[in-house]
Structures are given as C-alpha cells and as structure tokens.
Amino acid sequence: MAMFLPTYTRVRDHHQVSEKSRMEDYVEGEELQKLALANKLEKERLDAIRRDEKLQLMDDNRRQIQERVALKKLQENQEDVRGAFLCLFSLSMSL
C-alpha cells in the first residue's frame, strides 16, 4: 500500500522546491552579472592597451619619417656643398 502525503504537505514541499529554485536562479543571475561586468572591464582594459599601442606605433612612424626627411635634407646639403666645392676647385685650377 502506497502512502500518499496529504495535499498541504505536497503543496508545501513544492513551494519549498520552487523557492529554492528561485534563489538558485537569483544567485546564478548575480554571478552572470558579475562575470559580464568583469568581461566589460577587461575589454575596456584591452581596448586601452590597444589604443596606447596604436598611438605609440603612430608616434614611432612619425619619428621615423622625420628622421628620414632630416637625413634626406642632410644628403642634399652635402651634395650641394660637394658641387660647390668642385665648382670652386675647377675655377681655382683654371686660374
């Protein structure tokens, strides 16, 4: 013979299980919100690092361009001086 619990006991047990499930869902939801916030903060941190690296790369490129332009001007000045020197040397030899 099977023993059946009275209706109020079954309802109470069901209510307790439902309450426990709600609490577990609530805790799980809080944990998910914490993880979402942690992911957001980590993404912002990584974005800041990428932004800094990009700015550093742009600054390095700008410096390299400035150095190349300065070197090119120096070479042009040296060629002008060399040309002027050869011209003066030619004139002095012809005198």
Side-chain angles (χ1 to χ4, degrees):
M1 189 157 154
M3 293 197 48
F4 293 100
L5 294 172
T7 304
Y8 70 91
T9 305
R10 284 182 293 180
V11 170
R12 185 190 64 199
D13 290 346
H14 177 72
H15 177 71
Q16 288 174 348
V17 169
S18 295
E19 186 68 27
K20 182 180 177 186
S21 293
R22 277 196 296 271
M23 289 302 295
E24 288 173 352
D25 290 346
Y26 178 77
V27 169
E28 185 177 328
E30 281 189 339
E31 289 174 359
L32 290 175
Q33 287 178 347
K34 287 178 185 177
L35 287 174
L37 179 60
N39 285 342
K40 179 184 175 190
L41 294 174
E42 181 67 9
K43 181 183 181 304
E44 288 174 0
R45 186 183 73 81
L46 293 174
D47 288 346
I49 290 171
R50 271 189 230 102
R51 195 171 36 255
D52 290 346
E53 288 175 347
K54 183 178 178 181
L55 290 173
Q56 183 64 39
L57 182 60
M58 289 171 54
D59 192 46
D60 290 347
N61 289 341
R62 183 185 51 79
R63 281 192 196 124
Q64 288 178 355
I65 291 169
Q66 287 175 338
E67 289 172 358
R68 287 181 185 159
V69 167
L71 181 61
K72 182 73 174 170
K73 286 181 181 178
L74 179 63
Q75 289 172 343
E76 289 172 356
N77 287 342
Q78 287 176 342
E79 289 172 5
D80 290 346
V81 169
R82 216 177 289 130
F85 179 75
L86 288 175
C87 186
L88 287 175
F89 183 73
S90 308
L91 285 173
S92 68
M93 294 302 280
S94 63
L95 293 176

